[in-house]
Each structure stands twice: as C-alpha cells, then as structure tokens.
Amino acid sequence: MKDAGTLFDEYAEAYEQALSNAIAPSGEDREYFAEGRVAWLARCLREAKETPRTLLDFGCGDGATTPLLLAALKAESAVGIDVSAKSLEIARKRYATAQIKYELIGEFQASAQADLAYCNGVFHHIPTAQRTEALRLVSGALRTGGLFSFWENNPWSLATRYVMSRCAFDRNAITLTPPEARRLLRSGGFEILRTDFRFIFPRALRALRKIEDVVYPLPFGSQYQILCRKMQ
C-alpha cells in the first residue's frame, strides 16, 4: 500500500475530478459537503460560545476548505498542513494569503497556540499504528482548552461505503467507527463534547434535509463530526 504522501501526490492534479466522480450519486459537488461541514461547525461553536481566532487545517489537501473555515468562523489566521507536497503547491497558488499559509507536515512547528484544529477524512488514510502520532501532532498545535473538529466518513452508512468504493484513493482506506474515533481522541487527551452525523439525503431528496437538523445525534449521516477539547 502506498503511503498517503505518495498517493496524494499522484492524485494532486486529478483529485477534484476523482472526488467529483465518486460523490456523483449524491447529486452534489465537493463544495456542498465542504460548506456543509464548515457551516455545521460554525453552528456548534456559536452554541458553545466559542470564537477561535487561530486555526489549523490538518490534512488540508489542495487547501480549498481553509479559506472557508477562516471566513465562516471569522478567524484571524489559518495554517493548512499536509503530507502531499504537490497538493500544497496547488493550495498555495489558489488560496494562500496574508492570513492563510500552507506547510508540509514534516516542516510544521507545533507551538501549542491554535484555538481550533479541523480535519476531514484524514485519519482513514493514516495507518492504524500511526494514528496516535498524528493525533499527538494535532494536540501539540493546540493550546490547552483548544478545540478539535474531527470529521470522518461514517462506515455504518451504506452510502458512505458505496462512495468510498468508487473513489480510487479511498479503496484501501481503513475507516473508523464513531466509537473507535472517540476512543482514539480520549486516549490522546481530548474531552469529547459532542458527536453529530450529517449528510443523509441526496439532492433528489433535498426537500427532506431539514430533518437532518433534528436527527443529527443519530448515526444516519454519511459523515460524522466529533467536537472535542484538548485537556492538557
């Protein structure tokens, strides 16, 4: 199996098309899901009366979500980090600003100052034995009391399994169930604040999507967020 850096270097130029092909049965594009995740996170932070100013986008890929996070959360700065140098080249060309920068994970200096870290669909690409180390890097970037918005694909969802089977860079991924993810986060020194499930209905059934705002504690969505807090 290829390591994630090699895999995503190979797919850097074709990533958007490959992902679009995989999620096509939903009737939506990648922006719909990215904007939905960020909007849900913003809602959770408002409810918790949290206003993070400095952000870490862990496993940022081609960087498309980083500016969404900065704008939606009204933050001051963000750093996106990734293992794929080629993906980061694209990120810098498209999205780098005075407030947003991108770095290779191997060159990133964790300073325990970030208010919030975010990741989406990253940990299922990390070998099981290396996940604790990856989580340690996230924790090292966060201040004590900082928040981690951990998004993953829900393997309990048949729709998720189908989409991942269609995606070339997801076929060898090792998914995490929500209980597995919570155990990992707790073992890394995080307090679990909430677990939410999102994205149940495809575009053809979009009239039903308001239901998602009511049933989010139930494990029906194709993705889930675990919002947690660094304890020490």
Side-chain angles (χ1 to χ4, degrees):
M1 184 185 301
K2 297 175 182 177
D3 66 81
T6 301
L7 177 66
F8 284 97
D9 274 349
E10 291 179 0
Y11 276 96
E13 297 291 343
Y15 173 82
E16 189 165 356
Q17 186 60 54
L19 182 58
S20 295
N21 291 343
I23 63 177
S26 72
E28 300 291 359
D29 56 20
R30 65 180 292 201
E31 286 77 15
Y32 167 79
F33 294 101
E35 291 169 2
R37 286 187 295 268
V38 172
W40 186 256
L41 170 59
R43 167 177 160 165
C44 294
L45 294 176
R46 286 195 300 272
E47 291 176 357
K49 296 181 172 57
E50 296 280 357
T51 55
R53 312 311 303 167
T54 55
L55 313 177
L56 173 70
D57 188 357
F58 180 75
C60 65
D62 65 6
T65 298
T66 317
L68 297 179
L69 287 165
L70 195 72
L73 305 186
K74 298 179 174 59
E76 295 172 356
S77 64
V79 179
I81 62 175
D82 203 274
V83 295
S84 169
K86 290 186 178 179
S87 296
L88 289 172
E89 288 177 12
I90 295 170
R92 292 185 186 109
K93 288 177 182 177
R94 294 179 180 176
Y95 306 111
T97 66
Q99 291 76 40
I100 299 173
K101 63 179 181 177
Y102 296 96
E103 299 181 15
L104 274 170
I105 281 181
E107 299 174 358
F108 175 68
Q109 298 295 316
S111 59
Q113 294 182 349
D115 295 318
L116 181 138
Y118 169 95
C119 76
N120 169 57
V122 174
F123 275 75
H124 67 245
H125 290 295
I126 301 174
T128 305
Q130 297 175 21
R131 288 173 180 171
T132 297
E133 180 182 354
L135 187 59
R136 191 177 298 120
L137 190 155
V138 174
S139 178
L142 286 168
R143 63 171 174 78
T144 299
L147 299 173
F148 186 17
S149 172
F150 177 99
W151 286 86
E152 261 299 341
N153 297 349
N154 180 13
W156 293 339
S157 164
L158 293 177
T160 295
R161 290 183 175 274
Y162 176 63
V163 166
M164 291 183 73
S165 74
R166 291 168 49 89
C167 189
F169 50 78
D170 272 342
R171 286 174 186 155
N172 293 316
I174 302 172
T175 56
L176 298 84
T177 65
E180 289 170 337
R182 285 191 289 262
R183 284 195 294 271
L184 174 67
L185 292 162
R186 288 192 185 102
S187 71
F190 287 88
E191 174 193 11
I192 307 301
L193 302 180
R194 59 189 294 167
T195 303
D196 307 322
F197 297 84
R198 303 295 294 168
F199 310 120
I200 300 172
F201 301 106
R203 183 172 177 79
L205 298 175
R206 60 188 179 278
L208 300 176
R209 284 177 176 169
K210 284 294 184 183
I211 296 173
E212 296 184 11
D213 292 341
V214 177
V215 301
Y216 61 85
L218 303 177
F220 299 142
S222 58
Q223 287 198 299
Y224 63 89
Q225 173 194 232
I226 300 174
L227 187 63
C228 52
R229 186 186 304 278
K230 177 182 172 180
M231 298 304 294
Q232 294 182 351

